[in-house]
Amino acid sequence: MNTRLRIGVFVALCSPIAITAARAQQPAPARATFSGYVRDASTGENLIGVAVVHPASHQGTSTNTYGFFSLTLPATGDTTRLLVSYLGYQRQLVPVRLDKSQALTIRLQPATSELQSVEVVGAREEQIAQTTRMGTVNIPLSQIKAVPALFGERDVLKVLQLLPGVQSGGEGQNGLYVRGGSPDQNLILLDGTPVYNASHLFGFFSVFNADALNNVELVKGGFPARYGGRLSSVLDISMKEGNMQEFHGEGGIGIIASRVTLEGPIKKDTASFIVSARRTYIDLLARPLINLVMASEGIPRDERPTVGYFFHDLNAKVNWKLGQRDRLYLSAYTGRDKFYSRFKDTYGNDGEYSKERDGLGWGNLTSALRWNHVIHDRLFVNTHLTFSRYQFDVGIEQEERRRDNGVPRTDKFSLKYLSNISDWSLKSDFDYVPLPDHYVRFGGQFIWHQFRPGAAQAKSNDPNDNINFKIGTRTQAQEASLYAEDDYKVTERLKLNGGLRLNSFLVRSKLYPSVEPRVAARYLLTEDWSLKASYARTTQYIHLLTNSGIGLPTDLWVPATPKVKPQKAQQVALGAARNLRFKDEDYELSLETYYKPMQRLIEYREGASFLGTTDSNWEDKVTSGKGWAYGAEVFLQKKSGRTTGWIGYTLAWSKRKFAELNNGQIFPYKYDRRHDATLVVIHQFSPTLRLSGTWVYGTGNAVTLSRGRYTLGPNLYEFDDYGPRNSYRMRAYHRMDLDLSHTKKKKWGEVVNSFSLYNAYSRNNPYFIYFQSGYQDPYGNVERKPSYRQISLFPVIPSFSKSFRF
């Protein structure tokens, strides 16, 4: 794109912003601006996405990520009312006078019962048919906590896998494959800070504790200009801010893990805190069983190794209300998985022994310092400084004490391999609401990346070994971006969101600039029916080297370099949305089609892996190619009433092409699935009894299997002919989960007992397929034919968990 064309695109997309600025220079009618925050009356928590509407003029807005809103109306001098509405809260009418601007703090009361419905006469909040955004889904946390879960562990990522256009990596996995993309193409934000590995237990659980969360939003397409750096999706997760009124706590005890969350005021109405912790005890539960097995095999107690695995999470957040216009937040998260093995063997009578410690660990550390400031009643700014690091490491330590010619001697040896990525980021986001027909956002970000794809260190105290070495260096890169966007109501029927994002990435003296136009539009056919369209160009400057595709800790994060270029994609989407009302119940229906070509994707070359990978050689292990993803999605959702849930269906294709893989021919992506269907139902029989269930169906994963095996040469070398890549399909996957929860009210709070069934009808779903050789008896009779065998991971799994709140 030449310079003139870039300037033209920028002017065209940002013209609403320019028009707004020009109008600000002209004499304008007198106006009154009502701005401030909407908060939970009982906790002081800022509420996100609350509708603030002026019914008389049908003008409205909604609160941003920090609960701030601004609504400008003609200053007529009349007394009127603002309607404030949010799911799960009682709607409120706020009296105001249209004579001057006013700062408001609106406190909404939680609904007295989830089973009640409230009828409101007048304008309603912006529904799915009115909004310009496409491919965006917000799941209420109450539904996330109600969906059945494996081992009773409520998991945000597993709930998101139940949405159309989102797939899991396999049985029990929580990787997100969004619209044909890979896990590294998802930007996962926790309080605005990127999380590079969102998995525990090799992908079976996520790092997010639902008790500590306030809002979860997934963007699959039609990306606003404020988001950048990934090709497939944005998962924006906000933590709770802590109760400013009184001390509260909640937690749970499950089969494999327990959790606890505490929150309360540091100074009432001024400062608050929240701390949330979780830990598994798989290692403690498994240890007696492992000892029984080793005892049955005759292994003496003093010769048994100690092995185990556990993970833990810790979230913490403090916020200070510095004044009516300023608020300061400090938040942090740390989580780690640890697999360990310890062994000690004592021999002889002189204190001789040998011992070994092995370990595999991986985890995240994030922190954020944020400052919210209301510059004036129409302009809000959020500035935050963040740090994020992900690291995995493998280590071996050996020690031997022996006597050499009667002289005691202790030999020590250690070997460690690690890989990590860390970021420092400074970002400012501005929200400017000059008129109800304009919602302008603009800002910028600078990121300092540091990559260490692989480093090895070995130490020995034996001078004869000569194996003391350290291999691996760091690669540093700088990323900068600017963006501007405007959600502009052109007419009552036509609404646009136009924006532009400018990026740059500097690594090893190589600069990669990028211009990314973004546009989305909706046209109202009726008050409840709309047509939508969007276009987004995206660039990703970091890659994930993976062998498995399921987000194992051995996956390595690497940067674009002069030799390996950044990934690029475009996404075009068309769709329709409808607000439905049936028997006094509200539903949302959306239909979307999309097409997403991707360039400069990378994969390991045939036979390459992370083993031995260092900063200096990883570029020689990869090859570059392109991909295509396209399909259609249907989503019907109900968020309130006795019965809630959704139905989703996806018809999709995802393909790849690499010159050095599969003989340069196009092949289906490993998680290319033709059909995906999901049903989620949550029914509240009474305020204390709830039944929920999910049913999922998906076309089987694509895998590569040998078409034949040949014996060659005098040494009888066996050769496998694998044929085209991913040319075989596993059996279709389907599963039903159920959960029954009963709440008991106590004087001090409440206790919820939950009984759940994972894979309720015990479907033998394929996890992987292996080849089983045949054999003959000594007379040449075939005793077993060679065949492929399927391994299924989980049968029906019952579980019980107990949660509490006070």
Side-chain angles (χ1 to χ4, degrees):
M1 183 182 290
N2 59 43
T3 302
R4 290 184 178 180
L5 183 55
R6 289 177 179 174
I7 294 174
V9 171
F10 182 83
V11 171
L13 290 175
C14 299
S15 58
I17 302 173
I19 292 171
T20 301
R23 287 177 177 173
Q25 305 301 319
Q26 300 174 0
R31 296 182 181 276
T33 299
F34 302 96
S35 62
Y37 293 87
V38 181
R39 298 189 174 121
D40 185 305
S42 60
T43 67
E45 190 89 22
N46 288 333
L47 300 178
I48 301 170
V50 179
V52 181
V53 180
H54 183 228
S57 64
H58 300 281
Q59 301 285 358
T61 186
S62 60
T63 58
N64 66 8
T65 309
Y66 311 101
F68 176 80
F69 74 94
S70 177
L71 179 60
T72 301
L73 301 170
T76 63
D78 299 332
T79 298
T80 186
R81 296 186 298 179
L82 301 179
L83 172 64
V84 185
S85 176
Y86 190 54
L87 182 67
Y89 288 79
Q90 298 178 20
R91 290 175 169 91
Q92 185 173 334
L93 289 170
V94 181
V96 295
R97 186 172 177 82
L98 297 173
D99 57 355
K100 61 180 180 180
S101 297
Q102 183 179 351
L104 302 171
T105 297
I106 302 171
R107 301 182 183 276
L108 294 184
Q109 293 286 349
T112 55
S113 171
E114 294 183 1
L115 306 184
Q116 295 179 357
S117 60
V118 181
E119 182 180 355
V120 176
V121 178
R124 292 180 295 168
E125 62 268 27
E126 187 175 55
Q127 300 289 326
I128 189 172
Q130 282 81 35
T131 179
T132 55
R133 301 187 67 177
M134 295 188 68
T136 301
V137 182
N138 189 293
I139 303 294
L141 282 168
S142 59
Q143 289 189 350
I144 290 176
K145 290 185 176 182
V147 170
L150 179 62
F151 298 119
E153 291 297 306
R154 311 300 181 185
D155 197 311
V156 172
L157 296 189
K158 283 192 170 59
V159 175
L160 295 177
Q161 290 172 355
L162 301 174
L163 299 176
V166 183
Q167 300 172 7
S168 64
E171 175 76 85
Q173 302 294 319
N174 64 20
L176 297 181
Y177 296 80
V178 181
R179 291 187 172 179
S182 52
D184 63 310
Q185 294 175 353
N186 305 312
L187 177 61
I188 300 177
L189 299 173
L190 179 62
D191 268 356
T193 308
V195 176
Y196 283 100
N197 188 308
S199 299
H200 282 311
L201 192 57
F202 302 96
F204 286 95
F205 300 101
S206 78
V207 301
F208 304 113
N209 184 349
D211 291 345
L213 305 183
N214 180 33
N215 188 68
V216 177
E217 182 177 79
L218 177 68
V219 184
K220 301 178 293 182
F223 304 105
R226 60 186 177 274
Y227 293 124
R230 299 294 190 276
L231 303 188
S232 290
S233 77
V234 178
L235 176 57
D236 198 348
I237 298 176
S238 301
M239 282 180 57
K240 291 180 180 177
E241 298 172 357
N243 194 314
M244 277 202 171
Q245 304 300 316
E246 54 188 4
F247 181 79
H248 280 286
E250 62 181 307
I253 301 172
I255 293 179
I256 65 169
S258 291
R259 66 189 189 278
V260 63
T261 300
L262 302 174
E263 59 178 321
I266 299 173
K267 182 179 180 181
K268 195 171 182 179
D269 290 323
T270 301
S272 65
F273 76 94
I274 181 170
V275 177
S276 182
R278 177 175 61 162
R279 191 196 191 277
T280 58
Y281 25 76
I282 303 174
D283 52 338
L284 304 180
L285 295 176
R287 192 170 297 166
L289 300 177
I290 295 174
N291 283 330
L292 285 175
V293 172
M294 289 189 289
S296 66
E297 295 179 355
I299 302 175
R301 179 177 293 275
D302 59 352
E303 295 182 12
R304 298 173 191 171
T306 300
V307 296
Y309 163 85
F310 68 91
F311 71 76
H312 68 79
D313 293 305
L314 178 64
N315 296 80
K317 189 173 185 178
V318 178
N319 87 85
W320 291 271
K321 183 180 177 183
L322 304 178
Q324 187 65 29
R325 291 179 174 268
D326 296 276
R327 183 169 287 209
L328 198 65
Y329 300 87
L330 178 62
S331 60
Y333 164 79
T334 180
R336 185 165 176 82
D337 291 65
K338 183 70 175 179
F339 174 81
Y340 59 88
S341 172
R342 298 191 295 269
F343 173 79
K344 183 175 181 180
D345 183 20
T346 302
Y347 48 87
N349 298 317
D350 296 319
E352 296 178 305
Y353 65 84
S354 65
K355 62 181 180 179
E356 181 173 319
R357 297 171 60 94
D358 304 326
L360 168 65
W362 66 96
N364 298 277
L365 173 65
T366 72
S367 58
L369 177 64
R370 295 185 293 154
W371 171 43
N372 290 172
H373 177 59
V374 180
I375 299 175
H376 61 72
D377 52 16
R378 303 180 193 179
L379 183 60
F380 174 93
V381 60
N382 173 64
T383 300
H384 58 182
L385 175 67
T386 65
F387 172 76
S388 178
R389 185 187 69 189
Y390 168 70
Q391 175 170 307
F392 95 84
D393 48 73
V394 184
I396 300 173
E397 296 180 2
Q398 297 175 337
E399 181 179 321
E400 183 179 12
R401 183 172 179 82
R402 55 189 174 85
R403 288 186 173 273
D404 191 358
N405 296 324
V407 178
R409 174 178 173 176
T410 302
D411 294 331
K412 295 182 179 180
F413 170 78
S414 65
L415 175 65
K416 185 176 184 179
Y417 179 86
L418 64 86
S419 174
N420 60 37
I421 176 175
S422 60
D423 293 341
W424 283 97
S425 171
L426 179 63
K427 183 181 181 183
S428 285
D429 299 294
F430 295 82
D431 287 23
Y432 178 47
V433 193
L435 297 168
D437 290 342
H438 289 274
Y439 198 126
V440 180
R441 293 179 174 91
F442 59 94
Q445 182 177 19
F446 177 80
I447 307 174
W448 184 282
H449 297 284
Q450 184 170 267
F451 301 86
R452 178 181 277 185
Q457 179 177 340
K459 292 182 180 180
S460 173
N461 67 344
D462 188 344
N464 297 321
D465 288 343
N466 194 28
I467 55 174
N468 292 290
F469 65 85
K470 185 176 182 179
I471 300 174
T473 59
R474 295 180 175 90
T475 298
Q476 295 181 343
Q478 295 80 47
E479 183 176 351
S481 60
L482 294 171
Y483 75 88
E485 65 174 90
D486 185 8
D487 206 42
Y488 176 37
K489 189 176 181 180
V490 183
T491 68
E492 287 299 321
R493 292 186 177 275
L494 180 61
K495 193 174 184 182
L496 299 174
N497 184 299
L500 187 68
R501 186 176 184 90
L502 306 176
N503 298 316
S504 66
F505 188 80
L506 179 65
V507 58
R508 297 178 188 170
S509 301
K510 174 66 175 179
L511 180 65
Y512 286 110
S514 175
V515 178
E516 300 177 4
R518 313 283 179 83
V519 63
R522 70 100 170 109
Y523 183 80
L524 286 176
L525 299 175
T526 67
E527 183 182 355
D528 295 322
W529 262 112
S530 68
L531 299 178
K532 296 188 179 186
S534 67
Y535 169 81
R537 177 181 294 174
T538 52
T539 305
Q540 182 168 327
Y541 295 105
I542 60 177
H543 305 272
L544 185 66
L545 298 180
T546 176
N547 287 97
S548 63
I550 60 173
L552 292 179
T554 53
D555 297 342
L556 311 179
W557 288 97
V558 294
T561 68
K563 188 174 181 179
V564 180
K565 295 182 179 181
Q567 305 176 57
K568 288 185 174 292
Q570 301 179 70
Q571 185 173 161
V572 179
L574 299 172
R578 173 75 190 271
N579 302 320
L580 299 171
R581 191 165 182 83
F582 179 71
K583 293 185 178 180
D584 296 326
E585 300 279 330
D586 290 324
Y587 299 81
E588 293 182 345
L589 173 66
S590 65
L591 305 93
E592 293 190 16
T593 61
Y594 65 92
Y595 175 71
K596 181 170 65 175
M598 297 168 281
Q599 299 82 38
R600 303 173 182 173
L601 307 178
I602 68 169
E603 291 275 2
Y604 276 117
R605 298 178 187 272
E606 295 288 0
S609 74
F610 83 97
L611 294 174
T613 300
T614 65
D615 181 66
S616 59
N617 70 1
W618 71 264
E619 295 169 273
D620 299 325
K621 294 187 172 187
V622 301
T623 182
S624 180
K626 53 187 177 181
W628 302 265
Y630 49 93
E633 302 166 1
V634 181
F635 188 48
L636 177 64
Q637 185 178 21
K638 185 174 183 291
K639 295 183 179 180
S640 60
R642 280 183 177 270
T643 304
T644 61
W646 62 87
I647 299 173
Y649 171 72
T650 306
L651 174 67
W653 289 260
S654 183
K655 301 176 181 179
R656 297 287 191 270
K657 182 178 181 180
F658 292 79
E660 299 181 48
L661 300 177
N662 199 47
N663 296 317
Q665 301 299 310
I666 295 176
F667 60 90
Y669 185 44
K670 182 176 182 179
Y671 298 106
D672 167 71
R673 288 184 186 169
R674 200 66 63 242
H675 305 282
D676 256 307
T678 304
L679 172 64
V680 177
V681 178
I682 303 166
H683 184 70
Q684 198 83 36
F685 289 99
S686 70
T688 61
L689 187 63
R690 182 189 68 218
L691 176 65
S692 61
T694 63
W695 183 79
V696 296
Y697 172 89
T699 301
N701 287 342
V703 295
T704 305
L705 299 178
S706 173
R707 297 185 301 184
R709 174 167 290 187
Y710 308 97
T711 303
L712 303 176
N715 295 324
L716 301 180
Y717 172 75
E718 290 188 336
F719 169 76
D720 286 300
D721 176 16
Y722 283 99
R725 193 180 184 100
N726 294 340
S727 58
Y728 181 82
R729 290 279 179 181
M730 291 185 180
R731 293 170 58 203
Y733 181 97
H734 54 86
R735 186 190 80 241
M736 175 182 286
D737 304 333
L738 298 172
D739 180 274
L740 181 65
S741 295
H742 181 258
T743 302
K744 289 185 178 180
K745 300 293 183 179
K746 303 288 185 178
K747 291 182 179 180
W748 50 264
E750 63 182 31
V751 175
V752 181
N753 296 309
S754 298
F755 176 76
S756 63
L757 290 175
Y758 180 88
N759 194 8
Y761 52 79
S762 200
R763 159 78 172 179
N764 290 323
N765 286 303
Y767 187 64
F768 70 87
I769 296 176
Y770 72 96
F771 179 76
Q772 179 176 269
S773 300
Y775 64 86
Q776 300 177 346
D777 62 18
Y779 304 100
N781 299 314
V782 176
E783 297 252 342
R784 185 178 67 192
K785 294 183 178 180
S787 62
Y788 281 104
R789 312 290 290 183
Q790 171 187 298
I791 294 295
S792 297
L793 195 60
F794 294 130
V796 57
I797 298 180
S799 62
F800 176 80
S801 64
K802 183 183 290 288
S803 60
F804 57 87
R805 182 169 183 163
F806 59 87

